[in-house]
Structure formats: structure tokens, C-alpha cells
Amino acid sequence: VVALICAAPGAYAQAGPAKALATAPVTSNATANNIYGFKALDINGKEVDFAQFKDRVLLIVNTASQCGFTPQLTGLEQLHKKYQAQGLVVIGFPCNQFLQQDPKSNAEIDEFAQSHYGVSFLLMSKIDVNGDRAHPLYKWLQTQKAGLLGTESIKWNFTKFLINRNGQVVKRYGSAEEPAALVPDIEAAL
């Protein structure tokens, strides 16, 4: 039996020394006005150039396999299946920064997401979303839309960013916001 627990936002900590996370070469210009200059590695280590997503609506989420919000993977998959033909791309970035709730390897994360939640949307390689080692994409996302009380840092797993067809962040959602609650904003962006 595995207990899936999430502590309250703000209670996160990274225990022990962090391992360096592999990332593809990226554009790290935090003043970029769209997402298309960024690159990252997918869950299998293949480079993904975000320029390929021009004219698509993106939903970017930092995920974790052992969090109380992990069942949101089901809702994210439902959004993916329902709206992908209309141009929605759901992208999950596993992250182990919040109470080490995604300690697995990329291969184990991929297998878990597929076998337990039927995930077929794009999963990326595990990254940091906060701090000096945060992926440049996440550094940029945070500057585009502030979170709770105007803070930029990611507070917890399953923070979501909605990106319009012009590659600009239009909305940021907290961890507790269920994927189904995003439908009106997604439909408006499509």
C-alpha cells in the first residue's frame, strides 16, 4: 500500500542534496514574449522544441506521482482526449521538489502515469521548477503570471499554466483547481 499525501502549500522542502536534472539546450531569455524559443527533453530524453506548438493552446503542469493531487492526471488526460483535435496540447513536467513526491526515474514515472491513469499526453523529463536549477521554461512561466498573493514561485505540485495560440501565458491555476474547472478558459482559448 502506498500512501499518497500532499502537505499544505508552503510546507514544501527539498531534503538532502538535489541531483542535477538533465535538460536539453534551451533559450533562457526571461524577457521572451512567447514560449516558442524554449526546448526541453521529453520523458524518453528526446528534445522537444516548443516552436512546434505554434498556433496551439498549451496546458503546462508540474506533476508528481506520490501527491494527493496525482489523481488530477485523470482529468488532464480527459482534457487531452477531448480537446487535442481542436489544438490543445497538455504537457506534464514531473518534479520532485515538493516533499520529494516524485522520486522515481523518468521510465518509472512514465510507466506509472500510463498504467494507473492512462496518460497519453506529453510527459517531459523530470525538472526543477523553482530555484537556481529551475528549468528556464519554468523561470519564464513564473514571470508571466504571478501566483497566490502575487508571488512568482511555484507553490506545489499540479500548478497549471494555460498558454494561448500566440504562445503567451493567459492564466495560472493553483494545485487545488481541478482540470475540469479549466474547461471554460480552455474553450475560450481554442
Side-chain angles (χ1 to χ4, degrees):
V1 176
V2 174
L4 300 178
I5 305 169
C6 269
Y12 63 90
Q14 184 170 355
K19 294 180 183 176
L21 299 171
T23 58
V26 293
T27 300
S28 59
N29 182 356
T31 61
N33 57 0
N34 66 51
I35 200 167
Y36 304 128
F38 294 94
K39 297 178 184 180
L41 297 178
D42 73 11
I43 199 84
N44 298 308
K46 181 181 173 193
E47 184 177 275
V48 174
D49 186 341
F50 279 70
Q52 72 179 302
F53 300 124
K54 285 184 180 174
D55 298 321
R56 302 264 179 100
V57 172
L58 307 180
L59 181 61
I60 298 177
V61 185
N62 63 303
T63 64
S65 301
Q66 298 175 1
C67 174
F69 294 120
T70 301
Q72 287 189 18
L73 291 172
T74 299
L76 293 168
E77 179 64 18
Q78 290 169 344
L79 292 175
H80 166 69
K81 286 183 176 177
K82 182 173 182 177
Y83 294 106
Q84 72 176 1
Q86 297 173 46
L88 178 67
V89 179
V90 177
I91 305 173
F93 279 90
C95 178
N96 194 39
Q97 284 189 291
F98 305 103
L99 291 180
Q100 297 183 323
Q101 293 185 337
D102 215 350
K104 301 175 183 186
S105 70
N106 284 328
E108 291 169 322
I109 291 167
D110 191 31
E111 190 281 325
F112 173 84
Q114 288 181 35
S115 65
H116 289 80
Y117 294 98
V119 167
S120 63
F121 60 82
L122 180 58
L123 281 178
M124 306 302 286
S125 289
K126 192 185 317 185
I127 63 165
D128 282 354
V129 297
N130 288 325
D132 292 340
R133 287 188 304 271
H135 193 284
L137 171 62
Y138 262 83
K139 288 182 179 182
W140 179 79
L141 287 169
Q142 292 176 49
T143 66
Q144 301 304 297
K145 288 290 177 193
L148 185 66
L149 302 175
T151 59
E152 289 185 355
S153 66
I154 304 298
K155 300 299 178 269
W156 200 250
N157 302 311
F158 290 89
T159 297
K160 304 158 198 73
F161 291 89
L162 184 63
I163 317 297
N164 67 18
R165 291 183 184 270
N166 297 318
Q168 299 166 331
V169 179
V170 293
K171 193 137 185 199
R172 177 175 174 163
Y173 307 90
S175 303
E177 292 191 65
E178 292 288 334
L182 283 55
V183 166
D185 292 336
I186 289 170
E187 289 180 347
L190 290 170

